[in-house]
Amino acid sequence: TVTSKDDDDANKDRQLRKPQQTTAVEEEPQLDFAVVGFEKTGTTFLLEVFGNHPEITMPVKHSPDAAKICVRKEEGKETLKRWIQQQEQRQLVEEATSNSIKYGVKCSEMIRKPLGIENWADVSSANLIVGVRHPVEWFQSNYNYRVMLHHKDKSTSNIPSPHKLTDHHNCWHGVSTIAAQFDKYLQQLGKTPLDRNELSNLLDTLPTSDVRINHNPLKVFIYTIEQLEDTNTTRRTHFERDLQHFMGLTSPFDDFSSQAKSNVNKVTYPEYIDICQPEFDSLRKSLVEEGKKSSEW
């Protein structure tokens, strides 16, 4: 087909005037941070603290779809893209009035899903915020929390004895002594080299399907729950300032000590445990031994 110069110019002009099509992902604002774990380490408190900051926009609740991105590689990435594009999150960003707004989400179980972290790194540059806690306190808090949910949901299943929750085969809604070995999950972020013994121990501890070393550019901020509750003003202020700088915020956080703690259940149930009682000596000993290894790592 022969075309004239005028035809070519007309075609070019139509192309220039034609609206440029972009993918939904390109139109979406970039996530800046994600609170990815661990559960029962003050992540809900951080969610509320962040929600009160003038430069942060994020869903007001835990993001329950986190598990959906922890499936097969390509399927998980596509699911994550759709998840980021959800209307609720778009509306939150559209309400922002400043380009300095930081956008984040909370998925407190994602740290335990290495494929989820890998998919996250592939489609987002959001930095990660991770909380840890003394394994004995974490076990008691998480166990009692699951007991509370068991009663709240009026479940008819049996509540297992905490003594039986000692490996990944015997885990109740994420509660087990293995789950308290935070180092096994942090190692998979790929930020530190693992020697042969560490890698062997990782594979012996967790199911092979749950092991996936991720070498990615995401930065990680690790805190302990004690830092959120620190009564020492100097230390707490220093911590708040470190977190502020990590997140790229210009305004400081409100004093953490002045903010009410949420997710505190005042109702007690017969199955609640006080892990300091003698009947839990062996359980406590196991948690402390593994906690020492995590601390050293």
Side-chain angles (χ1 to χ4, degrees), residues 11 23 63 74 79 88 145 225 229 243 249 251 267-268 275 281 295-296:
N11 287 334
T23 64
S63 305
E74 292 307 317
T79 302
E88 177 189 13
Y145 174 69
I225 193 172
E229 305 168 340
L243 185 57
L249 304 171
S251 302
V267 179
T268 60
I275 203 166
D281 283 352
S295 178
E296 290 172 350

Side-chain angles (χ1 to χ4, degrees), residues 190-202:
K191 303 304 179 184
T192 59
L194 297 179
D195 61 32
R196 179 170 301 191
N197 289 334
E198 289 174 323
L199 185 57
S200 176
N201 184 255
L202 179 62

Side-chain angles (χ1 to χ4, degrees), residues 12 86 92 96 115 121 127 187 198 201 210 217 220 278 283 294:
K12 290 179 181 178
Q86 286 177 354
L92 285 170
L115 181 55
N127 292 325
Q187 288 172 2
E198 289 174 323
N201 184 255
D210 286 351
V220 184
L283 180 63
S294 295

Side-chain angles (χ1 to χ4, degrees), residues 79-91:
T79 302
L80 177 58
K81 290 176 183 178
R82 291 193 298 271
W83 180 48
I84 293 176
Q85 297 167 33
Q86 286 177 354
Q87 184 63 32
E88 177 189 13
Q89 298 183 15
R90 284 204 299 270
Q91 289 175 346

Side-chain angles (χ1 to χ4, degrees), residues 255-269:
D255 183 354
F256 279 16
S257 66
S258 67
Q259 304 195 44
K261 304 295 188 298
S262 63
N263 223 13
V264 177
N265 182 38
K266 298 181 180 180
V267 179
T268 60
Y269 297 96

Side-chain angles (χ1 to χ4, degrees), residues 145-164:
Y145 174 69
R146 295 301 173 181
V147 168
M148 181 270 292
L149 290 182
H150 179 93
H151 286 279
K152 182 178 179 181
D153 297 338
K154 298 181 180 179
S155 174
T156 57
S157 61
N158 293 325
I159 297 176
S161 165
H163 296 288
K164 295 182 178 180

